[in-house]
Amino acid sequence: MSWAIFRWERHVRLCGAAVRVPLLREVVTVGTSSTEPLADTVPSAELTLTGDLARPVRLSVSDLAAWPQYRVRVSFERATSGVRRHRFAGPLLHDVLRAAGPVFDPARRKDRLRFLIAVTGADGHHVLLSWAEIDPDFGHAPVLLATRVDDTSLEGPGPQLVLPQDRCGARYVSGVDTIRVDGSYGPWT
């Protein structure tokens, strides 16, 4: 059996899982001795919106870049590397999810408040947010699905979840590949 390792910015894909390594300059097929040069293009990561949505969809960074772009300057603490400062640009998570049509029940008062949002990165990092955090009628947190960081496109590695209001960077998710909206919580379930 041979496995292919493909260049992907600062990650490689090994049998579907992202692994952080230095940039590679060639494709190596493990299990054989053959190598071949990489193409100049970086594979485009896709994000899947799924769950309790009327219109589940797959979006690329290019698709997200077509939305109105919000820009933020952030600084956050990381346990391993101290304070980080970056500039991010991208659409609001709330706007992207609203377009996918969360299936709120209009017969239930404030039904949207029971919805959770699970965000997963290609490296397996995942976080939960509540709909109330991003909803303009409640928390109105300016959470972004960043398409650019420090003027560099995230086309290859995929969008990044950015929470400018967080002091700690633990909820920033790089290479977001899945967002699941789930409203199956509440006393009636």
Side-chain angles (χ1 to χ4, degrees), residues 141-156:
V143 177
L144 298 183
L145 280 175
T147 59
R148 301 187 72 74
V149 58
D150 299 327
D151 299 322
T152 301
S153 173
L154 293 172
E155 186 70 39

PDB file of all heavy atoms in Angstrom, residues 141-156:
ATOM      1  N   ALA A 141     -21.354  39.357  18.764  1.00  0.00           N
ATOM      2  CA  ALA A 141     -19.898  39.233  18.650  1.00  0.00           C
ATOM      3  C   ALA A 141     -19.505  39.242  17.171  1.00  0.00           C
ATOM      4  O   ALA A 141     -20.101  38.526  16.373  1.00  0.00           O
ATOM      5  CB  ALA A 141     -19.422  37.955  19.327  1.00  0.00           C
ATOM      6  N   PRO A 142     -18.500  40.035  16.805  1.00  0.00           N
ATOM      7  CA  PRO A 142     -18.085  40.136  15.406  1.00  0.00           C
ATOM      8  C   PRO A 142     -17.177  38.980  14.988  1.00  0.00           C
ATOM      9  O   PRO A 142     -16.029  39.175  14.590  1.00  0.00           O
ATOM     10  CB  PRO A 142     -17.343  41.475  15.372  1.00  0.00           C
ATOM     11  CG  PRO A 142     -16.747  41.575  16.741  1.00  0.00           C
ATOM     12  CD  PRO A 142     -17.750  40.930  17.671  1.00  0.00           C
ATOM     13  N   VAL A 143     -17.686  37.761  15.072  1.00  0.00           N
ATOM     14  CA  VAL A 143     -16.903  36.564  14.746  1.00  0.00           C
ATOM     15  C   VAL A 143     -16.747  36.475  13.224  1.00  0.00           C
ATOM     16  O   VAL A 143     -17.733  36.544  12.493  1.00  0.00           O
ATOM     17  CB  VAL A 143     -17.583  35.300  15.309  1.00  0.00           C
ATOM     18  CG1 VAL A 143     -16.813  34.049  14.924  1.00  0.00           C
ATOM     19  CG2 VAL A 143     -17.725  35.415  16.824  1.00  0.00           C
ATOM     20  N   LEU A 144     -15.512  36.305  12.772  1.00  0.00           N
ATOM     21  CA  LEU A 144     -15.227  36.242  11.334  1.00  0.00           C
ATOM     22  C   LEU A 144     -14.858  34.840  10.892  1.00  0.00           C
ATOM     23  O   LEU A 144     -14.301  34.053  11.657  1.00  0.00           O
ATOM     24  CB  LEU A 144     -14.029  37.137  10.978  1.00  0.00           C
ATOM     25  CG  LEU A 144     -14.104  38.631  11.202  1.00  0.00           C
ATOM     26  CD1 LEU A 144     -12.828  39.288  10.697  1.00  0.00           C
ATOM     27  CD2 LEU A 144     -15.309  39.239  10.534  1.00  0.00           C
ATOM     28  N   LEU A 145     -15.142  34.567   9.625  1.00  0.00           N
ATOM     29  CA  LEU A 145     -14.539  33.441   8.908  1.00  0.00           C
ATOM     30  C   LEU A 145     -13.491  34.084   8.005  1.00  0.00           C
ATOM     31  O   LEU A 145     -13.787  34.501   6.890  1.00  0.00           O
ATOM     32  CB  LEU A 145     -15.586  32.698   8.077  1.00  0.00           C
ATOM     33  CG  LEU A 145     -16.452  31.726   8.826  1.00  0.00           C
ATOM     34  CD1 LEU A 145     -17.535  31.153   7.921  1.00  0.00           C
ATOM     35  CD2 LEU A 145     -15.614  30.607   9.406  1.00  0.00           C
ATOM     36  N   ALA A 146     -12.294  34.232   8.530  1.00  0.00           N
ATOM     37  CA  ALA A 146     -11.267  35.002   7.832  1.00  0.00           C
ATOM     38  C   ALA A 146     -10.824  34.325   6.537  1.00  0.00           C
ATOM     39  O   ALA A 146     -10.616  33.117   6.485  1.00  0.00           O
ATOM     40  CB  ALA A 146     -10.059  35.212   8.744  1.00  0.00           C
ATOM     41  N   THR A 147     -10.692  35.150   5.504  1.00  0.00           N
ATOM     42  CA  THR A 147     -10.182  34.709   4.209  1.00  0.00           C
ATOM     43  C   THR A 147      -8.752  35.189   3.996  1.00  0.00           C
ATOM     44  O   THR A 147      -8.078  34.737   3.087  1.00  0.00           O
ATOM     45  CB  THR A 147     -11.069  35.237   3.068  1.00  0.00           C
ATOM     46  OG1 THR A 147     -11.080  36.675   3.124  1.00  0.00           O
ATOM     47  CG2 THR A 147     -12.484  34.704   3.178  1.00  0.00           C
ATOM     48  N   ARG A 148      -8.315  36.142   4.841  1.00  0.00           N
ATOM     49  CA  ARG A 148      -6.967  36.705   4.760  1.00  0.00           C
ATOM     50  C   ARG A 148      -6.426  36.923   6.164  1.00  0.00           C
ATOM     51  O   ARG A 148      -7.173  37.286   7.068  1.00  0.00           O
ATOM     52  CB  ARG A 148      -6.957  38.036   4.016  1.00  0.00           C
ATOM     53  CG  ARG A 148      -7.490  37.935   2.586  1.00  0.00           C
ATOM     54  CD  ARG A 148      -7.310  39.230   1.816  1.00  0.00           C
ATOM     55  NE  ARG A 148      -5.921  39.495   1.466  1.00  0.00           N
ATOM     56  CZ  ARG A 148      -5.237  38.861   0.523  1.00  0.00           C
ATOM     57  NH1 ARG A 148      -5.796  37.899  -0.162  1.00  0.00           N
ATOM     58  NH2 ARG A 148      -3.986  39.189   0.267  1.00  0.00           N
ATOM     59  N   VAL A 149      -5.134  36.696   6.337  1.00  0.00           N
ATOM     60  CA  VAL A 149      -4.439  37.018   7.576  1.00  0.00           C
ATOM     61  C   VAL A 149      -3.185  37.797   7.202  1.00  0.00           C
ATOM     62  O   VAL A 149      -2.413  37.352   6.334  1.00  0.00           O
ATOM     63  CB  VAL A 149      -4.103  35.773   8.429  1.00  0.00           C
ATOM     64  CG1 VAL A 149      -3.257  34.784   7.670  1.00  0.00           C
ATOM     65  CG2 VAL A 149      -3.437  36.163   9.736  1.00  0.00           C
ATOM     66  N   ASP A 150      -3.014  38.973   7.786  1.00  0.00           N
ATOM     67  CA  ASP A 150      -1.852  39.821   7.509  1.00  0.00           C
ATOM     68  C   ASP A 150      -1.613  39.968   6.012  1.00  0.00           C
ATOM     69  O   ASP A 150      -0.495  39.822   5.516  1.00  0.00           O
ATOM     70  CB  ASP A 150      -0.601  39.263   8.212  1.00  0.00           C
ATOM     71  CG  ASP A 150      -0.768  39.208   9.721  1.00  0.00           C
ATOM     72  OD1 ASP A 150      -1.464  40.087  10.273  1.00  0.00           O
ATOM     73  OD2 ASP A 150      -0.214  38.295  10.343  1.00  0.00           O
ATOM     74  N   ASP A 151      -2.679  40.239   5.265  1.00  0.00           N
ATOM     75  CA  ASP A 151      -2.649  40.446   3.815  1.00  0.00           C
ATOM     76  C   ASP A 151      -2.259  39.209   3.006  1.00  0.00           C
ATOM     77  O   ASP A 151      -1.909  39.308   1.837  1.00  0.00           O
ATOM     78  CB  ASP A 151      -1.732  41.625   3.443  1.00  0.00           C
ATOM     79  CG  ASP A 151      -2.217  42.927   4.060  1.00  0.00           C
ATOM     80  OD1 ASP A 151      -3.442  43.132   4.109  1.00  0.00           O
ATOM     81  OD2 ASP A 151      -1.372  43.725   4.512  1.00  0.00           O
ATOM     82  N   THR A 152      -2.331  38.032   3.616  1.00  0.00           N
ATOM     83  CA  THR A 152      -2.045  36.779   2.917  1.00  0.00           C
ATOM     84  C   THR A 152      -3.336  35.980   2.802  1.00  0.00           C
ATOM     85  O   THR A 152      -4.053  35.791   3.788  1.00  0.00           O
ATOM     86  CB  THR A 152      -1.004  35.947   3.692  1.00  0.00           C
ATOM     87  OG1 THR A 152       0.195  36.720   3.814  1.00  0.00           O
ATOM     88  CG2 THR A 152      -0.700  34.641   2.984  1.00  0.00           C
ATOM     89  N   SER A 153      -3.635  35.497   1.591  1.00  0.00           N
ATOM     90  CA  SER A 153      -4.840  34.706   1.370  1.00  0.00           C
ATOM     91  C   SER A 153      -4.766  33.374   2.109  1.00  0.00           C
ATOM     92  O   SER A 153      -3.708  32.764   2.211  1.00  0.00           O
ATOM     93  CB  SER A 153      -5.028  34.447  -0.127  1.00  0.00           C
ATOM     94  OG  SER A 153      -6.100  33.541  -0.338  1.00  0.00           O
ATOM     95  N   LEU A 154      -5.900  32.927   2.594  1.00  0.00           N
ATOM     96  CA  LEU A 154      -6.007  31.622   3.244  1.00  0.00           C
ATOM     97  C   LEU A 154      -6.603  30.585   2.286  1.00  0.00           C
ATOM     98  O   LEU A 154      -7.168  29.589   2.716  1.00  0.00           O
ATOM     99  CB  LEU A 154      -6.861  31.743   4.516  1.00  0.00           C
ATOM    100  CG  LEU A 154      -6.234  32.581   5.621  1.00  0.00           C
ATOM    101  CD1 LEU A 154      -7.226  32.816   6.755  1.00  0.00           C
ATOM    102  CD2 LEU A 154      -4.976  31.915   6.137  1.00  0.00           C
ATOM    103  N   GLU A 155      -6.466  30.825   0.987  1.00  0.00           N
ATOM    104  CA  GLU A 155      -7.023  29.927  -0.026  1.00  0.00           C
ATOM    105  C   GLU A 155      -6.537  28.490   0.141  1.00  0.00           C
ATOM    106  O   GLU A 155      -7.306  27.554   0.037  1.00  0.00           O
ATOM    107  CB  GLU A 155      -6.663  30.429  -1.434  1.00  0.00           C
ATOM    108  CG  GLU A 155      -7.316  29.659  -2.555  1.00  0.00           C
ATOM    109  CD  GLU A 155      -8.815  29.883  -2.652  1.00  0.00           C
ATOM    110  OE1 GLU A 155      -9.256  31.016  -2.444  1.00  0.00           O
ATOM    111  OE2 GLU A 155      -9.540  28.903  -2.926  1.00  0.00           O
ATOM    112  N   GLY A 156      -5.267  28.278   0.403  1.00  0.00           N
ATOM    113  CA  GLY A 156      -4.726  26.923   0.555  1.00  0.00           C
ATOM    114  C   GLY A 156      -5.142  26.257   1.853  1.00  0.00           C
ATOM    115  O   GLY A 156      -5.738  25.188   1.854  1.00  0.00           O
TER     116      GLY A 156
END
